[in-house]
Amino acid sequence: MWHSVFIIVMAALSVCYLGLILYYRHLFLRIRPFIVGITAPCTRFSIIIPARNESETIERCVHSIYLQDYPTELFEVVVIDDHSSDDTSVKVEALQQRYPTLKLIRLADSVQGRLLNAYKKKA
């Protein structure tokens, strides 16, 4: 007796579950696909590069930033020369001719006379 009641209840639950799954499938198929519109970028930002004796790598670093697909008029690159003893600042100045949004700040010019030992943090 209990065995047959159990089978009937399980069959009824299975039919209800199947009906629910078919109903969810029907609702899912009615969803219209979301199409993302192409919009032009509009966010402005700055990239700050603290550099000390980076003569060998600074050009590749700056070039890689400007090779991005983002419009160059919407961002600026600021290289902060951290008391370099090589020609890092000379290379950045040469790059400024090619990239007008590239800026160079020399910490030696802005912290004159003050004794600091954490220049990267100052940058």
Side-chain angles (χ1 to χ4, degrees):
M1 170 90 177
W2 291 102
H3 184 17
S4 59
V5 172
F6 179 74
I7 292 175
I8 292 171
V9 169
M10 290 305 293
L13 287 175
S14 296
V15 168
C16 290
Y17 182 72
L18 178 64
L20 186 62
I21 293 297
L22 291 174
Y23 177 69
Y24 285 154
R25 181 180 184 279
H26 170 74
L27 292 178
F28 180 74
L29 293 175
R30 289 183 50 192
I31 297 174
R32 286 182 272 151
F34 179 73
I35 299 172
V36 177
I38 298 174
T39 60
C42 60
T43 304
R44 295 181 166 278
F45 60 91
S46 298
I47 299 172
I48 299 173
I49 304 171
R52 181 173 189 161
N53 297 332
E54 298 291 341
S55 177
E56 295 178 11
T57 58
I58 194 68
E59 289 177 313
R60 281 185 291 156
C61 177
V62 171
H63 285 306
S64 68
I65 292 170
Y66 282 99
L67 286 175
Q68 303 301 315
D69 291 335
Y70 207 78
T72 56
E73 64 272 4
L74 292 180
F75 68 90
E76 67 175 350
V77 179
V78 180
V79 176
I80 301 177
D81 183 13
D82 180 14
H83 297 86
S84 294
S85 59
D86 62 1
D87 62 343
T88 300
S89 60
V90 173
K91 288 189 175 184
V92 173
E93 287 172 346
L95 289 169
Q96 284 178 318
Q97 305 301 319
R98 185 172 178 184
Y99 305 114
T101 58
L102 177 63
K103 294 180 176 61
L104 173 65
I105 297 174
R106 289 184 188 88
L107 279 183
D109 297 340
S110 63
V111 291
Q112 293 172 341
R114 288 185 276 172
L115 182 61
L116 292 176
N117 59 358
Y119 293 110
K120 293 264 182 180
K121 292 179 184 178
K122 183 66 175 172

